[in-house]
Amino acid sequence: MSKLWGMREVADFLGVPVNTLYQWRTRNYGPPGKRIGKYVRFVPDEVRAWVDAQPSGVA
C-alpha cells in the first residue's frame, strides 16, 4: 500500500484549492477520504478511481 495523501496532496493532484476539497466534503462530493484522528487522509488509488469515474466533457 502506498502512503496516504493529505488534503494538500489531493488538492495538488486535482488542481483545486484545499478549501474546495473541504467544501466538497460538506456536500458529500469529491474523492472518498477517511478521518484518521483529526486529519483527513486519502488512498491515492481511490482518488484516481474517483477522477476516472467522473463524466467526461465540460459542464
Side-chain angles (χ1 to χ4, degrees):
M1 182 173 166
S2 60
K3 180 182 171 199
L4 297 176
W5 286 351
M7 294 296 266
R8 168 94 30 227
E9 289 89 0
V10 174
D12 289 344
F13 178 77
L14 297 176
V16 299
V18 171
N19 284 339
T20 298
L21 287 178
Y22 283 113
Q23 289 173 8
W24 285 354
R25 285 184 57 79
T26 63
R27 295 181 174 108
N28 294 319
Y29 181 74
K34 297 172 179 54
R35 183 164 289 284
I36 300 176
K38 65 179 183 175
Y39 303 102
V40 177
R41 295 293 182 244
F42 299 84
V43 177
D45 289 339
E46 290 179 5
V47 175
R48 290 184 189 102
W50 178 82
V51 170
D52 291 341
Q54 298 308 300
S56 57
V58 179

